[in-house]
Amino acid sequence: MMGGGGGGGRSRSYSQQDVEAMRRAMEATRQAEGSRRLDSDVNRVLQDLLVDFNDHDTEELRRRLRSIDEALGDDVQFESFVLGGSVAKHTAVSGLSDVDALLVFDRDSLEGNAPTDILNECMHLLSERLSAADAVATRIGTLSVTVTYQDGMEIQVLPAVRSGNEFAIPNSTGTGWRITDPYAFRTRLTAANERLNFRLVPTIKVLKSLLTRLPEDQRLSGYHQEALSLETTRNYDGPRTVKALLLHVLENASGRVLEPVADVTGQNRFVDADLGPADSPTRRAVAASLAALARQLRSLTTAEQWRHAIAEE
Amino acid sequence: MVPSFSSKGFPYYLPDSWPHKSELPRQRKSVKSSSKRKFSDASLSLELTGPYIEDALLLSAYDLHFRLLDRPERFFGSKKLVFIDSGGYELAPEFDATEPKQYRYRPRRPFGLSEYLRVLDDLPKTVPCVIANFDWGTRYRPVTQQIAKARALFHRHPSSLSNFLIKPGTGAFLEIEKRVRPELSAMRGFAIVGVTEKELGANLLTKLRTLASLRLAMDHCKMQEVPIHLWGGLDPLLVPLYFIAGAGIFDGVSWLRYAYHHGAAIAWDSNSVLKGRVADSAMRARALTSGENLVVLESLATSMKRLADNRASDFSVFNYYAEELEAAYRTMVAEIPELRSTGSRRPVETI
C-alpha cells in the first residue's frame, strides 16, 4: 500500500476513530507484551529457585555412603553402591528428595538369604555403628533401611542384585525378589527432557517443591510426580519454558491422577497404588488440589508472587 | 530505540486543511508555493504516533527543508531527544539493508550542506537535539576529513549533541582496522559515533563482526562512554544481535514499512491476516500497525536493558525467539573473536 515514492496527491488523513483504534491496539499490545514479560520474569524466578533446589551436598552424601559402607563392614558382603531414584534421574530436590542407595550383591553370595534377612542385618549394623551424632534415626521397612540425618537427608539402603540393565530388589513382602528396570523410565524421561529443550526435569523439580503444600494424605511420591509429568507432556507442543510446562502439567495431571499410572520399571503394577483405585476419594481430592494450584498460579500477576507461591514453606 | 520518520519511499498527499502558515517556519525560496504543497505520508505517521513517542524520534533535515512533514515541531516538546539526520538517507538512491527495494526513488534537489545548516539554525533552541554531520558531503573522503568537516559543523551548534556518522570513504564497507581505528582518538569529542547498517558488511555475520571490532577499538581508545548509533537498523530480530555486538542506539523506518508480529517483521497484509483484520481499511491497518510497532520497540528496549543487566547470560528476557537469539549469540561468540575478548560487553547507554 505504500509503494511508489513521489506519486499521489491524494487527500487523506486519519479519522478520530482510527486514532482511537490505534490507542486500543497499543494498549492491547502493551498488555500482551507485559504478559510475555511476566512469563520471562517468572521463568527467571524459577531458574533462581532451581539453583536452590539443585544445591545438593554431594560431598556430604559421599561421606555418608562411606560411613554406611564402613558400618556394614565385612558382615554384609555387597559389591557396590548404585544410586537410583531421583538422584539418578536428576530430579532430586535438595532438602526434599531422599537418596536411594542400592547395595548391589553378587547373586551367588546371597546364599539363599531373603531380603528381610539382609535388611535385618543392615538395620542391626547401621543402628549400632553409625554415629548417633550424625545419623539420628534408623528404621526398617519391607524394601529398605532408612537412615535419617540431622540435616533432614534420608538415605534408603536397598539390597539389590544386578542382571544386565535390570535389578532385582525386595518384593512387597520382603520374602523374595522382584525384577525392575530403572532404565525403562529414565530413558523415556531423558528423551522427553531433550524434546522439551531440557525444561522437563527442572519443571519436575519445581513441581515437587510446589506439591509439598498438599495436605499430608494427598502427597504424591516423587516417582508419581515424575510419571505424571512425563505422561501429560507426551504430546505437548507449547512454549518450552518451565512456567508453561508447570502449568500444563498441573492442569492435565489433575485429570490424569484420577486413573492409576502404570509403573514401566516393573517394580510395581502402578506407581500410585497408595491412592487407591481409579476415581477413589483420595484421587478426587488430589485432582481438586492440583486444579486449585493451577488456578492459583494462573492468577498470579507478578514474578514475586510466583516466587512466594513456589518457595513457600 | 529511535523511531524514524522519512519521506523516502512513501507517497505524498494533499492536506485537508492546508495551509497552517502561521505555525510554519519562514518560507524558503527553494520550496514550492503552499498552494501546491504535498506532504509525505510519513507526516501522517508522525501526526498519528508523534504524541505517543516518549523518548526520542528521528527526523531528516531533508524532510524539514522541503517541508514534507506537517509542522513536525509540534511533536518536539515532549521528547527527551530529537535526532536530526543530515539527509544522507534521503539523498541516496538506495535503501537500507532491511528495506524492500521496489521503489524507484529520485531525491529532490537542491539539498546540500548550506541547506542542512539552515535547517539546523532553524531548530527550536529549547529542544534537546542530536545532530548528525553532513555525511553525504564527505562520503568519499578519508575519515580524517570527515572528522574535520564534522567538527566544524558541530562547533556551530554547541548546545546540540554531536552524532558523527562514519562513512567508508572508498569502498562499500567500513574498514575498522585500516581506516577507522587510526582516527578514533580524534573522535573522542563526539557524543555519539554512528555507522549505517548497510555499510558494515556484505552479510549479517560480517556486519556483526565489523560492529564488534568498532566497539572494541573504541573501548581501547577510552571511548567506553560513547555509544554507537546503528543507522537504519531497527529490525526486531536483528537489533538484539547488533546490541550484543556493541551498538546502543538504533533508528530506522522499518517500523513504518513492516508489521512487527511476535518478534519478527512481516508484511502489513500478512499481519492483517494473522490479527483477523482483513476487512480493515488501509488507513486503519496502518494506524493499528504503527501503534503496535511502537509498543513492540518499547518492549524490545526493555528486554535489551535486561540482557545488559544479566550480561547476556539469560535470553529469556526476550519475549519472542529467546532460544533462537541465544543460538545466534553462541554462533556470534564462536565466530567473532572480538566478542570473546570483550566478554560480550554491554553498551554504556541505550535509548
Side-chain angles (χ1 to χ4, degrees):
Chain A
M1 70 178 273
M2 299 179 69
R10 295 151 293 153
S11 174
R12 57 190 185 141
S13 61
Y14 288 105
S15 66
Q16 191 54 37
Q17 287 90 340
D18 289 335
V19 175
E20 285 303 318
M22 185 195 74
R23 269 194 205 142
R24 287 195 298 276
M26 289 178 80
E27 190 49 41
T29 307
R30 205 161 270 133
Q31 284 183 7
E33 291 288 317
S35 171
R36 303 277 306 198
R37 190 158 310 286
L38 174 64
D39 282 355
S40 60
D41 288 349
V42 169
N43 280 310
R44 269 199 305 287
V45 162
L46 297 178
Q47 204 60 44
D48 288 347
L49 292 173
L50 281 162
V51 172
D52 295 336
F53 297 166
N54 291 333
D55 186 24
H56 309 295
D57 191 343
T58 50
E59 194 50 48
E60 184 62 15
L61 174 59
R62 281 176 208 273
R63 192 189 68 74
R64 286 171 176 171
L65 289 176
R66 269 200 307 273
S67 69
I68 288 174
D69 190 3
E70 288 165 7
L72 298 176
D74 293 334
D75 298 303
V76 179
Q77 293 286 332
F78 68 101
E79 291 185 328
S80 62
F81 278 116
V82 170
L83 293 178
S86 59
V87 173
K89 288 176 280 192
H90 305 288
T91 56
V93 176
S94 178
L96 284 182
S97 302
D98 51 21
V99 177
D100 290 342
L102 275 63
L103 301 183
V104 180
F105 290 86
D106 178 66
R107 185 176 295 276
D108 297 335
S109 71
L110 288 174
E111 297 174 347
N113 283 325
T116 46
D117 301 330
I118 302 170
L119 287 171
N120 284 329
E121 180 69 3
C122 289
M123 177 68 186
H124 167 71
L125 294 168
L126 293 176
S127 55
E128 190 169 87
R129 295 179 181 173
L130 283 180
S131 161
D134 190 11
V136 293
T138 309
R139 65 180 188 277
I140 189 167
T142 52
L143 292 177
S144 63
V145 171
T146 302
V147 183
T148 305
Y149 293 84
Q150 280 191 332
D151 58 5
M153 181 191 283
E154 287 193 340
I155 298 179
Q156 294 192 334
V157 180
L158 287 84
V161 180
R162 193 201 315 248
S163 174
N165 274 348
E166 296 179 332
F167 288 87
I169 61 170
N171 63 17
S172 57
T173 60
T175 55
W177 300 91
R178 172 188 281 273
I179 300 293
T180 179
D181 179 7
Y183 297 103
F185 183 80
R186 202 188 309 173
T187 305
R188 293 179 198 198
L189 181 63
T190 301
N193 193 41
E194 286 178 11
R195 181 175 67 78
L196 296 170
N197 201 29
F198 302 96
R199 297 295 195 273
L200 182 57
V201 165
T203 300
I204 290 170
K205 292 182 180 184
V206 175
L207 182 71
K208 285 182 174 179
S209 173
L210 183 67
L211 295 193
T212 57
R213 296 170 54 186
L214 293 182
E216 193 76 41
D217 61 341
Q218 294 180 23
R219 294 270 171 86
L220 308 181
S221 71
Y223 183 27
H224 189 192
Q225 294 178 55
E226 293 162 7
L228 282 172
S229 301
L230 189 58
E231 285 219 6
T232 55
T233 55
R234 187 173 293 157
N235 299 311
Y236 179 80
D237 194 27
R240 290 176 294 180
T241 65
V242 174
K243 175 178 179 264
L245 278 163
L246 180 68
L247 288 169
H248 176 87
V249 167
L250 274 176
E251 284 165 349
N252 288 275
S254 67
R256 182 64 186 87
V257 78
L258 292 170
E259 300 281 332
V261 179
D263 184 355
V264 296
T265 68
Q267 182 175 342
N268 295 293
R269 188 172 170 209
F270 299 112
V271 303
D272 54 352
D274 54 316
L275 295 185
D279 213 29
S280 69
T282 307
R283 289 183 184 277
R284 287 204 299 274
V286 173
S289 296
L290 294 177
L293 273 175
R295 281 196 303 276
Q296 186 206 343
L297 291 182
R298 282 229 181 260
S299 72
L300 302 180
T301 54
T302 69
E304 270 315 294
Q305 288 174 343
W306 270 82
R307 185 188 298 279
H308 291 305
I310 304 295
E312 186 178 277
E313 291 299 325
Chain B
M1 294 292 199
V2 186
S4 304
F5 296 85
S6 170
S7 62
K8 185 174 180 177
F10 291 99
Y12 298 105
Y13 72 98
L14 286 169
D16 289 331
S17 54
W18 180 262
H20 308 279
K21 285 180 180 172
S22 61
E23 299 172 70
L24 283 169
R26 68 176 187 269
Q27 292 286 322
R28 305 245 178 265
K29 290 179 183 175
S30 58
V31 297
K32 294 178 181 177
S33 68
S34 62
S35 61
K36 294 180 181 177
R37 187 176 314 287
K38 298 171 188 173
F39 289 128
S40 163
D41 257 22
S43 185
L44 285 175
S45 299
L46 180 61
E47 182 96 30
L48 181 73
T49 59
Y52 300 96
I53 296 173
E54 293 180 355
D55 288 340
L57 55 74
L58 186 146
L59 300 177
S60 167
Y62 173 97
D63 290 342
L64 297 178
H65 174 72
F66 290 112
R67 300 217 194 124
L68 299 174
L69 306 174
D70 182 9
R71 296 168 293 152
E73 65 281 359
R74 286 177 293 162
F75 306 105
F76 289 179
S78 59
K79 307 297 175 281
K80 292 175 185 167
L81 288 172
V82 175
F83 284 71
I84 304 296
D85 175 19
S86 64
Y89 170 68
E90 286 75 19
L91 290 171
E94 67 270 19
F95 286 78
D96 282 342
T98 56
E99 293 187 79
K101 300 180 177 61
Q102 67 267 40
Y103 315 119
R104 289 180 61 82
Y105 175 74
R106 199 166 56 204
R108 296 181 179 201
R109 306 284 187 200
F111 185 81
L113 177 60
S114 58
E115 285 78 14
Y116 179 45
L117 291 175
R118 284 212 300 273
V119 169
L120 293 182
D121 289 341
D122 281 350
L123 287 172
K125 301 297 179 241
T126 54
V127 174
C129 284
V130 181
I131 60 172
N133 52 316
F134 189 67
D135 57 285
W136 182 257
T138 55
R139 63 194 185 283
Y140 298 126
R141 305 277 185 82
V143 176
T144 45
Q145 291 184 27
Q146 295 178 36
I147 293 170
K149 292 283 185 185
R151 273 189 180 153
L153 186 146
F154 295 144
H155 185 68
R156 289 171 54 118
H157 297 275
S159 60
S160 296
L161 287 172
S162 54
N163 191 352
F164 176 63
L165 172 57
I166 316 171
K167 302 299 282 184
T170 56
F173 304 118
L174 284 171
E175 295 175 272
I176 302 300
E177 287 305 311
K178 185 176 173 185
R179 300 187 190 278
V180 178
R181 182 190 279 274
E183 313 303 335
L184 275 177
S185 58
M187 297 184 206
R188 279 194 196 131
F190 300 139
I192 299 166
V193 168
V195 291
T196 66
E197 184 193 26
K198 66 185 174 194
E199 288 168 344
L200 286 174
N203 59 56
L204 179 57
L205 190 64
T206 306
K207 289 175 183 179
L208 293 165
R209 181 180 290 127
T210 304
L211 191 54
S213 298
L214 175 62
R215 182 71 265 173
L216 187 63
M218 287 172 65
D219 289 354
H220 287 166
C221 195
K222 297 187 171 63
M223 295 173 72
Q224 294 95 331
E225 305 299 318
V226 180
I228 295 175
H229 179 171
L230 185 65
W231 292 80
L234 208 56
D235 180 276
L237 268 177
L238 298 180
V239 160
L241 304 184
Y242 286 127
F243 177 70
I244 291 165
I249 300 172
F250 302 87
D251 87 281
V253 291
S254 85
W255 73 285
L256 292 175
R257 301 205 197 281
Y258 295 97
Y260 298 156
H261 179 77
H262 286 186
I266 63 172
W268 284 18
D269 285 349
S270 306
N271 187 51
S272 294
V273 174
L274 293 175
K275 295 251 169 66
R277 303 197 297 230
V278 176
D280 280 1
S281 69
M283 291 296 279
R284 174 65 61 90
R286 175 175 161 159
L288 299 183
T289 303
S290 300
E292 289 164 349
N293 285 355
L294 278 180
V295 175
V296 171
L297 290 177
E298 288 170 13
S299 180
L300 191 56
T302 302
S303 296
M304 293 197 297
K305 284 172 184 166
R306 292 185 176 198
L307 187 75
D309 288 342
N310 72 44
R311 301 192 71 77
S313 64
D314 181 5
F315 280 74
S316 71
V317 294
F318 290 105
N319 281 354
Y320 304 96
Y321 298 113
E323 291 173 25
E324 289 80 359
L325 287 170
E326 185 167 4
Y329 168 69
R330 286 189 185 137
T331 302
M332 285 169 63
V333 171
E335 298 288 335
I336 304 175
E338 288 86 347
L339 284 178
R340 292 197 292 276
S341 57
T342 58
S344 67
R345 73 172 303 288
R346 56 188 167 128
V348 173
E349 185 183 356
T350 60
I351 293 176

